[in-house]
């Protein structure tokens, strides 16, 4: 069985989407409609901007979504039987299985990005990558810290990202190194994504989601929060909202997709990050880029 997977924040690069834009008129038209929906020329930032331009959350998230949906259009869906997306990538996955239109998905992604940026500005906080330690040990140490610090991204065995108040994250890093972590590396982000500190962003996104039409899925989406196959639009809405303050359980999602029959994972969007994670989660399944 074929599974489409869609990347999240961090996979952007200058020039992203230019080849897709030049490849076909229908893809060009789709991408140009993004400028009108967003009210600014995001394509010029994607094609000719700087790394700094693309690191801004309100640019990064729509850019990756636009690239991913354009790539999906280029390969006509590939006849997949299930989909999943890493954090932001879940919105691209919901276009792939018919739950969201491109226009509505882009509007939600833009609102999500603005809400997350506002939450970051209001409460500066941090994230850190923890390498070489069991998930259970990371969870135990985070729970022992006073202040907010939680597991945020279960990327693959031995690679977990934590998120929370800067002082709490720094203290957790010290304890995690003492417990045997190979690395505990603060990430260059000024925000605690997928933590309770995203509560204000969650409330703002929830309002936008409740005002958006969600259709019944044509194929299941394995969502970050539940890690299981979901097709019901109301469940999908609730899980999307919960995702902002809850962890991205990517390892568990991929394991469940494989258990349910996935043998071939195709990454749709910029970069190859998810393919690398798939190999570390289960080296026996195939993974490749869509384009």
């Amino acid at each position: 069985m074929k599974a489409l997977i869609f990347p999240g924040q961090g996979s952007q690069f200058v020039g992203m989407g230019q080849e897709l834009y030049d490849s076909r008129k229908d893809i060009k038209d789709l991408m140009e409609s993004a400028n009108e929906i967003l009210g600014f020329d995001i394509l010029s930032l994607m094609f000719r901007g700087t790394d700094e331009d693309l690191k801004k959350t309100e640019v990064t998230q729509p850019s990756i979504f636009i690239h991913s949906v354009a790539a999906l259009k280029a390969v006509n869906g590939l006849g997949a039987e299930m989909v999943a997306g890493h954090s932001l990538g879940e919105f691209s996955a919901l276009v792939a299985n018919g739950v969201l239109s491109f226009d509505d998905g882009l509007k939600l992604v833009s609102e999500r990005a603005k809400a997350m940026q506002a939450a970051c500005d209001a409460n500066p906080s941090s994230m850190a990558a923890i390498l070489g330690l069991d998930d259970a040990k990371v969870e135990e140490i985070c729970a022992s810290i006073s202040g907010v610090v939680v597991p945020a991204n279960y990327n693959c065995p031995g690679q977990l990202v934590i998120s929370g108040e800067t002082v709490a994250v720094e203290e957790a890093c010290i304890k995690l190194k003492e417990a045997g972590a190979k690395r505990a590396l603060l990430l260059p982000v000024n925000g605690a994504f997928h933590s309770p500190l995203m509560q204000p962003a969650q409330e703002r996104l929830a309002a936008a989601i409740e005002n958006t039409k969600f259709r019944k899925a044509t194929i299941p989406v394995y969502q970050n929060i539940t890690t299981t196959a979901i097709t019901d639009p109301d469940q999908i809405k609730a899980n999307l909202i919960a995702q902002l303050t809850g962890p991205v359980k990517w390892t568990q999602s991929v394991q469940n997709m494989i258990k349910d029959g996935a043998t071939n994972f195709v990454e749709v969007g910029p970069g190859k990050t998810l393919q690398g994670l798939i190999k570390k989660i289960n080296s026996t399944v195939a993974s490749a880029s869509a384009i």
Side-chain angles (χ1 to χ4, degrees):
M1 292 174 72
K2 186 174 288 180
L4 301 186
I5 50 175
F6 296 84
Q9 201 155 341
S11 58
Q12 70 276 3
F13 61 91
V14 175
M16 60 187 291
Q18 180 76 65
E19 288 186 12
L20 286 164
Y21 179 87
D22 293 336
S23 67
R24 274 177 18 200
K25 185 181 184 301
D26 59 338
I27 295 174
K28 179 180 179 180
D29 290 344
L30 177 84
M31 296 179 75
E32 285 187 345
S33 72
N35 287 343
E36 297 173 29
I37 293 165
L38 296 174
F40 69 96
D41 189 356
I42 192 166
L43 296 185
S44 68
L45 295 175
M46 291 169 63
F47 301 163
R48 297 176 294 279
T50 64
D51 287 333
E52 287 306 309
D53 289 332
L54 288 179
K55 282 180 184 173
K56 295 171 184 171
T57 298
E58 61 268 33
V59 175
T60 308
Q61 294 194 22
S63 296
I64 293 168
F65 175 82
I66 293 163
H67 186 289
S68 296
V69 178
L72 178 72
K73 193 173 185 67
V75 296
N76 298 316
L78 291 172
E81 291 160 282
M82 58 182 79
V83 295
H86 190 286
S87 186
L88 160 71
E90 205 162 84
F91 288 84
S92 308
L94 293 176
V95 174
N97 72 350
V99 171
L100 287 172
S101 68
F102 172 75
D103 290 19
D104 285 343
L106 182 56
K107 289 172 186 173
L108 287 179
V109 165
S110 178
E111 185 67 10
R112 180 182 189 266
K114 290 172 184 174
M116 290 173 75
Q117 188 60 57
C120 293
D121 292 343
N123 192 358
S125 41
S126 303
M127 301 179 78
I130 312 302
L131 305 181
L133 211 56
D134 289 343
D135 291 349
K137 192 64 180 177
V138 178
E139 292 165 353
E140 176 192 327
I141 289 173
C142 284
S144 75
I145 305 291
S146 60
V148 178
V149 57
V150 295
N153 294 351
Y154 293 80
N155 285 332
C156 66
Q159 186 187 130
L160 201 161
V161 175
I162 62 174
S163 179
E165 295 167 339
T166 301
V167 172
V169 170
E170 289 173 346
E171 185 183 344
C173 285
I174 292 168
K175 289 194 174 183
L176 289 161
K177 284 180 183 174
E178 290 172 352
K182 291 179 182 176
R183 296 189 75 183
L185 179 68
L186 284 170
L187 299 176
V189 296
N190 183 29
F193 301 157
H194 302 291
S195 84
L197 299 181
M198 284 289 116
Q199 183 68 40
Q202 186 181 58
E203 292 168 5
R204 183 170 163 182
L205 179 64
I209 283 175
E210 291 304 333
N211 288 317
T212 301
K213 182 176 181 179
F214 278 58
R215 301 168 186 83
K216 185 175 173 62
T218 56
I219 54 175
V221 57
Y222 286 68
Q223 290 189 274
N224 295 172
I225 286 291
T226 63
T227 79
T228 54
I230 308 288
T231 57
D232 178 72
D234 289 332
Q235 279 185 277
I236 289 170
K237 280 186 178 185
N239 293 336
L240 266 188
I241 294 165
Q243 188 216 76
L244 266 192
T245 55
V248 173
K249 297 178 182 175
W250 186 251
T251 301
Q252 300 91 323
S253 297
V254 171
Q255 287 169 339
N256 281 337
M257 293 169 89
I258 294 168
K259 189 174 89 173
D260 291 348
T263 55
N264 184 13
F265 288 83
V266 180
E267 186 166 4
V268 187
K272 297 183 179 181
T273 299
L274 297 184
Q275 293 166 64
L277 297 181
I278 295 289
K279 288 182 174 69
K280 291 174 181 173
I281 294 168
N282 189 320
S283 60
T284 67
V285 295
S287 59
S289 296
I291 53 173

